[in-house]
Every structure is written in C-alpha cells, then in structure tokens.
C-alpha cells in the first residue's frame, strides 16, 4: 500500500534502530538558525551534476554516464581503469555520506564523526580488527589487477571530493558541522575492502544461537533446549543440493555420488564450563546489540531467496533467475544499481556487466554480464566459534601451560577533542571480545564451574575465532565473477569468495547451476553449537573444507534450483559439518512447491510468474495452527468476533487482511505464553517484565524457593526470542500433537488462570490477541488490517534515527503498510518478541531473462540517490511495495532508448 499517515505501533523502550543509532550532542540542535540553515539552498547544494560535461582527473579518455528515468547510471569507457574511476566518481556523487559513515564504522572510527557516544562501539570494532585485516588483504593477498581497480575507483571518488566543502557533498555534513569540525578524508582502496568485513559480520552464521543456547542453561534443561533447537526437517523441506556426495577417490564433490560417513566434530562443551559463562555471554550479547547492523538483525532474519529455472520449463526457452536478498530496511537502500560497459569488449577492456553493487565498492555484486547471470543468498555456514579462556595477568592457559597474549594498542579519537586508548589482547583463537566490558573483567572471578575447568585464577575471558579475521581474496572474486563467461569460470571465481560464505546461483543460455563457496572450518572436537573450552586444544579447528569438496550442482534433473537459506545438503549425505543452525526451509519449500505447481503437466514459467512468486505471502505456520484455533470453543463474544475472522481465511498476508492481523497477533501471544515467559531475561525483549522465581532458587531454603522477583528482558527487540521465525514453526509442529506437553503449561497471574494443556493456552492467546489489537487498531474488527500493524519506515542511517524530530522528518520516509511476513517468500520480517514493525525486507528484487537481457526486470527498495528531497531518493519505493519491477536496460540500444540524462566525463 502507498505511504500513509497512520502512526506505527509504539516501540518498546530501548529498541535499537536497524542501522547506526547515534546519540548526538545537544549542541547539534542548540541555537537558532536551524530553520534557516536547512533551507532549499542547503538541501540542494549537494545534488550532483548529471548532464553536460565535467573534468575528471586521471581519465585516459572520455567516459559517459547515462541515467534512466530513475537515475540509474550506465557507464561507458574505453579502459578498465577509466570504467572503475568513473564508477567511483558517480557513486560518490550519489552516496558519499553513506560511504563515509560505513568506512568509519568498519575502521572503528565513528567517534571521530559522532562523538563520545560511539567510543564503546569503536572499541569493540577495533578489537575485532576489521580494518587491520582489510589492510593485510590489500597488502599481502589481493591480485595486482584487483589493486589497480581499487586504486582507480578511489581516484574517482577523490576526484569528486576535490575542492568541495563538506556541505557541498551531503546535507548531513551541514548538520554535523554544528557539533564538530569534522573534515572529509580522501578515499583509499582499503576503505572499499573493509566493507566486506562488515558484510561478513552481519552474515556470520550462528554466533547468536551459540550465545543463546548457552544463556538458556540458566533456566532450561538440556532436553528443553533441544526442544527449542530441533533438527532440520529434511523429510519436509528439501535441501538445496538434493543428491550427491564427496568422492574420496577424487577428493571432490560429485553431484551424483553416494553418501559417506559424516566427519563432523563430536562432543559438546562440558556443562560446567557453560555455567561459568552466563555473565560473560549476557554482557557479550549486550555488546553485540550495540554494534551497527548494516545488513540487518543477525540471525533468522538475515536471509534471501534465489532460484533459477531451466529453459525447458520457461516460456522463453532460456533460463530465468530470480533473487531478492532479505536485509535491513534503510535509507538510502543498501544496494546501488548500475551498469559498467567497455565500449568495445576486448582482452584489455573485459567488462560488460550490470546489476547491484554497494556504494564504496567497485564492480557488481549481483547481476549479469553478456554471458551469465548470478545471485546470492546467505549460506549460513558456522564460521565463528566462541571460546571460554582461562586468563591471567601473564597470558592464557592451553593444555596446562600459560601462553602469552598477542597485544596491540589502539587510540580512539573523539570529535570535539580527547581520545581513549585501549589494549586489544588476543589468544590463539582470536581477540578477547570480553575485554570490552568492565563487567566481563570481574565475572569470571566468581563463575560457578566444576572440575571440568582449570583453576580460574583472576577470571575467564571470551575469545572469538572467525574466518573473516584472516586475510582472504573475496575482492578478487567480485571482479572474476563480473568477467566469467561460463560455469567453469564461475566456479573458479567462487573459489576466491572466502567470506562471507554465500549460496551462489547461476545461469547461462544453456545451463543452470549452484555453488557453495566459502572458508568453512573443520572442528577437531565439538560442533560449534555452544562455546568451547579454550584451555583444551582438542577443540581447535583442524583446517577448512577443501573447495573441491563443497557442494555444487549443474543442470539437475528436476530442472530448477532453489536457495532460500535452507540446508545445503542432507547431513547424512555429506562428510563435513557446515552448520547445525540452518534456516528451517519454510520459504525454500514454498518456492519449490510453487515451481512444481507451474511446471506439472507441461506448464511453463514466465518472467511475470517469477515476479508473482517473489510476492507470495502465504503464512506456513497458519496452515498448521489455524485449524486448531477454529476448533477452540470461545464463549466471550468479543473474542469470538475476532475468531470468526479466521474462518475461510486462505493464509495469505495481504496488507488489508484483518484475518492476517489477528492470526499474527495470536501467534505472537502463543509464543510468549508457551516459550517467552520461560526464557531467561537475557533473551527476552527490553520492557518484557514477568514475575519469576530466581534462577538459582533451588539453592535457597524451602520457604524462600517460591518467592518471586520482577524480572525484565534485556535484549533488543529485533534480536529477542522467541522471534517467531521458521525455527519456531518446527518447535511448535510436534507440540501441536502433544496436547499435555509441559510447554503448554502456564502459571496464573492477576487476570488470567493457569493453563494446563494446548487448547487452554491457545484460548488464552486468542483472548490476549483480541485485546492487544483492540488497543492497537480499535474495537471494531472490521477496521483491522495487517498493514496497519506491519509497517515499514525508511530511516536515514544516522540523523534519521537520532537527530531532532524535524530533521528526522526531513530525512526519513514512510510509513508504508506492508503485506508479507516472517518466513513468507515475501519476507517482510518482524520479530514476534519485539512487535510487528518491519525489521527486514527484500532489499531489492530482480528477475533475469537470460539471453534476452533487455527483458530482465529489477527494483530497488528506495532509489539511486542518497540526497534527501532528490527526485531519486525514494522514487522506487511505492513500486517496490506493490511488487512491481522496472525495465532493466543492458544492451547499448536499449540503454540509449531509456536514457534521460547524459554526463560526459573528460580527462
């Protein structure tokens, strides 16, 4: 639905913005003159020149920038250096403020822009050392050719910045000038490389699950925790690669091979060690909440859909490929659309490619060239492990011997003056992330551990081992993908894509394919689901899965490939452990089913069918739960009135659906009653307060054990549990058949009786949902709609989340009423523990018509421009909301026909 004026549901106190939350100094909003300063001239001063001619330092020949009606640029040049130099110039024109904030974040230098409120965040990011690793990649690992491209890109950015005051670059700098004397620095090649580290961090896999499982031990038994983390339902949801295994004779994955014995590590962390980690991990979870999440809330929501259909099942006779990554909503959109074209493709100028890239990075990340198309979804491999470390003043213990820390000093400069020095300590596993919390420095001294742990001395620390903290060649892979001409070259390029580990889907005129790339560890002991004891060397990593043994497919017999964060391959058919924490496959199986329904009996799939599938908003949990809800005998006429909404509902979540609104409210309350109120405070949402027995009440005298305390949740609403994703579908699925399961039992409170079985809890959830929506949407159920609850607001990354109200209104846009929902194909995600607000979205959508490229279609979440009030700031959003796609010109004639503005860049 279009933008509206309905206020979004109230947010819980302390809810983190999806992007970078900045607490700006009062000086920013003090003083008169704001109204005049933010006049038309200030806002428009940074709008880029998009027609005529400009001089660009370093060009060897002319480059043309042709923009269509939505401001999407297609760049033409005669050399590769000129192509990337022009790309840097154009992206800086449209998005430099966004680029600048990102590079300060990846370097742990946000305090230099936004002051002392960002010091703790910077300290954590310095501890991770993203910038240091990026520098090592550039200095020691990346190819000479990649370095030249990065250098040319940086030269283009700096050519744009040359001679400009900060206010001429973006209006946000005009605001920041009130509080500090910040000056823009030149762009460097390492600034581009470092962005891959932020991308890898947000796509790091199961680190949050690893923390959560450990925190659950304070309230739940091992069996209960197992209930909440069920195995992947292979019998219900097909993995990506449905056949094949590693052939040990050739040490390579064979898509038609037979299964071998699994070689995964075994043995979990000793229980006593976990007991010693509760305080550390709770504080670490708080620290993670404070780290900017540029891609989205880590965990179940970070996902994507992509699928490719063979030409034998399409109306065009050539493959069709669709992709829509699910990431954080932001303004401007994370993605930047563009084309990069050598005027004459040759051995010296090899690029003819278009698609989506990131501002601040050369090349194209997702898209197609003149020969192949490709898409990404998050593989979700477990590439992070937390280790409990026995630490002392002299070092850390391994196998009874003390080893010295590796240390480095970091100085954090603060806007307005001053600085803070920190010492980063690392063990053989990685940086001690626990050093960044004063609480963590003390808790180990009284951590309750058994004989499984060594003497704790001065305490325990928590270290992080992560593949992205080692130099890799992912930037090389980007350029190789852009140039690949066939599946062999595509797979060769994917080998360099070490982090983040992604599902890569492929198509050319004759073939479809899939490749799982990435640097994925092999564990000598343990399965990565819980933190490991660092003092025991048997838990170390023993190398990485060889690339040739990673799963892939080419032209499978079924004629299509679907990747939507489900399991890559059946664990019984693959010798290595990729992860124990897949997405649970609701989206992927729905896409599989939609494809099968179209191609049965000789049917064909059109590009518009692909678009329609992207907008499918069916609720899979409703198919399980709704029939039971309709059988509940409801006597209260007001609750019965709401229950009637579910009669005849087809489980689609349209924005105007009252049934979808009520069902999702019931689902949210089922989760809270059955599970949420039984979780420890470290996992529940901020503001979610309940009366509980203390976690350690069993050690109290009998007459003290039943006393209760008020305990409030501590987790940011976007990452709190139960989040309602498809893991919870699989938790609930078997319980629906166990009417007397202990999970259905709840205790009485001041207004509600205790529940003893499934139907009593469902009835109570239906009642609670009725009154919750009455408060949110009104008493009259006929006026209810899912979209009024489920709203999207696009916020500027910085001042749009924490600036003064009138500045936010100038920079932000929305709200929009959305359909779709959590774990639907149209994945407009929301966290059931935090509320109904949209927290991740299909950040772009594309349908590639392979071989007839000019009939491909695409859309971005917002627009090409990062400048508020520019025509292309949010000019794609209304169409995105409706599921519409725009023409995607690629060939020279099509680009010329769609061009509205041409800028010529001259040497």
């Amino acid at each position: 639905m279009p933008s509206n004026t309905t206020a979004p549901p109230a947010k819980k106190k302390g809810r983190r913005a999806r992007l970078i939350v900045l607490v700006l100094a009062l000086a920013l909003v003090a003083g008169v003159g704001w109204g005049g300063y933010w006049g038309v001239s200030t806002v428009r001063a940074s709008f880029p020149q998009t027609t005529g001619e400009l001089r660009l330092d370093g060009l060897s020949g002319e480059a043309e920038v042709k923009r269509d009606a939505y401001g999407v640029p297609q760049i033409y040049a005669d050399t590769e250096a000129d192509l990337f130099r022009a790309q840097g110039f154009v992206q800086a024109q449209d998005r430099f403020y966004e680029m600048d904030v990102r590079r300060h974040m990846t370097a742990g230098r946000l305090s230099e822009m936004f002051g002392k409120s960002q010091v703790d965040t910077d300290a954590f990011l310095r501890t991770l050392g993203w910038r240091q690793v990026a520098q090592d990649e550039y200095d020691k690992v990346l190819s000479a050719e990649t370095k030249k491209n990065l250098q040319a890109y940086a030269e283009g950015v700096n050519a744009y910045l040359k001679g400009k005051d900060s206010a001429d670059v973006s209006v946000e700098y005009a605001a920041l000038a009130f509080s500090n004397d910040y000056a823009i620095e030149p762009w460097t090649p390492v600034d581009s490389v470092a962005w891959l580290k932020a991308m890898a961090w947000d796509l790091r896999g199961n680190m949050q699950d690893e923390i959560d499982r450990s925190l659950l031990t304070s309230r739940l038994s091992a069996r209960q925790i197992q209930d909440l983390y069920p195995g992947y339902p292979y019998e219900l949801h097909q993995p990506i690669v449905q056949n094949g295994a590693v052939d040990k004779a050739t040490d390579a994955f064979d898509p038609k091979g037979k299964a071998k014995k699994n070689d995964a590590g075994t043995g979990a962390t000793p229980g006593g060690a976990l007991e010693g980690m509760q305080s550390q991990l709770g504080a670490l979870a708080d620290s993670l909440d404070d780290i900017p999440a540029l891609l989205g809330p880590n965990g179940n929501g970070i996902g994507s859909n992509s699928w490719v259909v063979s030409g034998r099942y399409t109306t065009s006779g050539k493959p069709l490929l669709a992709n829509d990554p699910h990431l954080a909503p932001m303004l401007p959109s994370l993605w930047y659309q563009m084309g990069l074209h050598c005027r004459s493709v040759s051995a010296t100028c090899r690029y003819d490619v278009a698609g989506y890239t990131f501002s601040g990075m050369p090349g194209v990340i997702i898209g197609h060239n003149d020969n192949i198309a490709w898409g990404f979804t998050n593989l979700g491999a477990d590439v992070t492990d937390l280790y409990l470390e026995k630490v002392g003043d002299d070092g850390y213990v391994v196998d009874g011997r003390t080893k010295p820390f590796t240390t480095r000093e970091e100085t954090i400069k603060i806007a307005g003056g001053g600085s803070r020095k920190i010492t980063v300590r690392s063990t053989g596993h990685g940086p001690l992330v626990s050093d960044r919390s004063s609480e963590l420095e003390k808790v180990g001294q009284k951590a309750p551990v058994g004989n499984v742990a060594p003497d704790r001395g001065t305490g325990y620390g928590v270290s992080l081992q992560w593949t992205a903290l080692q130099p890799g060649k992912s930037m090389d892979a980007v350029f190789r993908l852009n140039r690949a001409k066939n599946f062999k070259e595509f797979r060769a390029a994917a080998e360099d894509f070490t982090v983040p580990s992604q599902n890569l889907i492929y198509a050319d005129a004759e073939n479809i394919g899939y490749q799982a790339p990435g640097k994925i560890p092999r564990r000598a002991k343990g399965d990565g689901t819980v933190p490991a004891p660092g003092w025991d060397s048997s838990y170390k990593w023993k190398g990485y899965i060889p690339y040739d043994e990673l799963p892939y497919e080419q032209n499978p017999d079924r004629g299509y490939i679907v990747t939507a964060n489900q399991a890559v391959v059946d664990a019984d058919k693959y010798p290595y452990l990729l992860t124990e924490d897949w997405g649970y496959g609701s989206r992927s199986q729905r896409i599989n089913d939609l494809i099968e329904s179209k191609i049965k009996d000789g049917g064909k799939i059109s590009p518009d069918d692909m678009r329609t599938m992207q907008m499918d908003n069916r609720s899979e949990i409703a198919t399980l739960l709704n029939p039971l809800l309709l059988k509940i005998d409801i006597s209260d006429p007001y609750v019965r009135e709401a229950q009637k909404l579910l009669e005849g509902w087809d489980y689609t979540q349209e924005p105007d659906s009252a049934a979808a609104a009520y069902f999702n409210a019931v689902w949210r309350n089922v989760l809270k009653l059955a599970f949420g109120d039984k979780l420890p405070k470290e996992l529940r949402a901020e503001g979610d307060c309940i009366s509980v027995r203390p976690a350690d009440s069993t050690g109290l005298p009998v007459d003290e054990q039943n006393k209760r305390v008020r305990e409030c949740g501590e987790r940011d609403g976007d990452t709190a549990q139960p989040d309602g994703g498809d893991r919870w579908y699989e938790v609930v699925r078997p319980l629906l058949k166990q009417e007397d399961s202990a999970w259905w039992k709840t205790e009485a409170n001041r207004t509600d009786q205790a529940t003893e079985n499934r139907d009593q809890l469902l009835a109570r959830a239906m009642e609670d949902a009725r009154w919750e929506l009455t408060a949110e949407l009104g008493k009259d159920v006929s006026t209810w709609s899912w979209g009024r609850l489920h709203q999207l607001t696009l916020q500027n990354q910085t001042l749009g989340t924490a600036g003064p109200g009138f500045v936010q209104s100038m920079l932000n846009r929305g709200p929009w009423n959305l359909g779709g929902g959590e774990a639907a194909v149209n994945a407009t995600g929301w966290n059931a523990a935090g509320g109904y607000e949209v927290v991740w979205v299909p950040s772009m959508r594309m349908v590639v018509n392979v071989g007839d490229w000019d009939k491909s279609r695409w859309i971005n979440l917002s627009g090409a421009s990062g400048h508020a009030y520019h025509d292309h700031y949010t000019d794609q959003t209304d169409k995105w909301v409706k599921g519409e796609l725009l023409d995607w010109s690629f060939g020279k004639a099509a680009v010329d026909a769609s061009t509205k503005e041409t800028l010529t860049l001259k040497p």
Side-chain angles (χ1 to χ4, degrees), residues 390-561:
K390 165 63 174 67
V391 300
D393 294 336
D394 298 328
Y396 61 102
V397 174
V398 179
D399 295 335
R401 300 180 63 183
T402 299
K403 293 188 174 184
F405 296 112
T406 300
T407 62
R408 70 176 189 273
E409 301 293 326
E410 296 275 355
T411 300
I412 300 169
K413 297 180 181 178
I414 303 171
S419 64
R420 175 179 162 185
K421 291 185 178 181
I422 65 170
T423 299
V424 177
R425 301 188 298 173
S426 296
T427 72
H429 299 115
L432 275 172
V433 290
S434 55
D435 277 355
R436 298 287 71 84
S437 167
S438 58
E439 178 185 353
L440 295 181
E441 294 172 2
K442 301 175 182 178
V443 291
Q445 297 175 16
K446 46 188 179 180
V449 296
N451 293 330
V452 294
D455 175 50
R456 59 179 168 263
T458 56
Y460 289 102
V462 181
S463 65
L464 169 67
Q465 186 164 14
W466 177 32
T467 55
L469 297 183
Q470 303 168 23
K473 301 175 69 175
S474 295
M475 199 69 238
D476 284 347
V478 171
F479 294 113
R480 294 183 69 184
L481 283 173
N482 285 198
R483 302 191 306 265
K485 297 180 180 179
N486 51 51
F487 191 55
K488 181 179 179 180
E489 292 183 8
F490 172 82
R491 290 193 68 209
E495 184 172 3
D496 286 341
F497 207 93
T498 50
V499 292
S501 187
Q502 298 287 285
N503 296 307
L504 269 60
I505 202 165
Y506 169 93
D508 62 35
E510 305 296 333
N511 303 282
I512 64 173
Y514 164 82
Q515 177 66 56
K519 198 171 188 177
I520 303 173
R522 298 175 61 190
R523 294 168 178 84
K525 189 176 181 182
D527 58 11
T529 59
V530 293
W535 55 82
D536 184 346
S537 64
S538 65
Y539 284 85
K540 68 182 180 181
W541 290 359
K542 58 176 183 179
Y544 303 91
I545 301 174
Y547 179 73
D548 287 344
E549 299 185 34
L550 289 170
Y552 80 96
E553 274 190 318
Q554 184 178 11
N555 298 326
D557 292 341
R558 64 186 178 279
Y560 60 89
I561 302 171

Side-chain angles (χ1 to χ4, degrees), residues 267-289:
T269 303
L274 285 184
E275 292 172 7
M277 294 187 73
Q278 297 307 312
S279 297
Q280 289 98 323
L281 292 175
L284 178 57
D286 290 342
S287 296
L288 295 179
D289 266 352

Side-chain angles (χ1 to χ4, degrees), residues 27-34 37-38 172-181:
L28 184 66
V29 296
V32 296
W34 265 87
Y37 195 83
W38 282 69
E172 288 92 339
Y173 291 115
L176 290 172
F178 272 78
S179 60
N180 66 68
D181 56 356

Side-chain angles (χ1 to χ4, degrees), residues 86-108:
Q87 183 184 18
F89 181 89
V90 170
Q91 286 194 341
Q93 278 189 307
D94 286 338
R95 301 280 193 94
F96 183 77
Y97 177 75
E98 173 191 13
M99 293 162 58
D100 199 18
V101 171
R102 283 181 182 171
R103 68 164 165 177
H104 278 79
M105 189 273 286
T106 58

Side-chain angles (χ1 to χ4, degrees), residues 16 18-20 98 102 105 130 195-204 291-299 301-304 325-330 333-335 358 378 500 502 797 839-841 843:
R16 183 184 62 181
R18 243 62 55 211
L19 305 171
I20 300 175
E98 173 191 13
R102 283 181 182 171
M105 189 273 286
W130 295 350
W195 166 241
L196 286 171
K197 301 304 166 186
M199 181 179 173
W201 175 254
D202 281 356
L203 301 175
R204 63 191 178 272
I291 301 305
L294 286 181
L295 300 188
N298 182 262
I302 293 281
S304 304
H326 307 154
L327 303 170
M330 63 184 72
S333 167
L334 179 79
W335 297 106
F358 300 122
N378 194 25
Q502 298 287 285
Q797 294 183 60
V839 297
W840 52 80
V841 294
S843 55

Side-chain angles (χ1 to χ4, degrees), residues 232-251:
Y232 185 86
Y234 290 102
E235 71 284 359
L236 297 174
H237 300 156
Q238 297 170 349
I240 297 171
V241 177
Q242 297 178 19
N243 296 292
V246 173
D247 184 344
K248 286 300 182 183
T250 61
D251 287 328

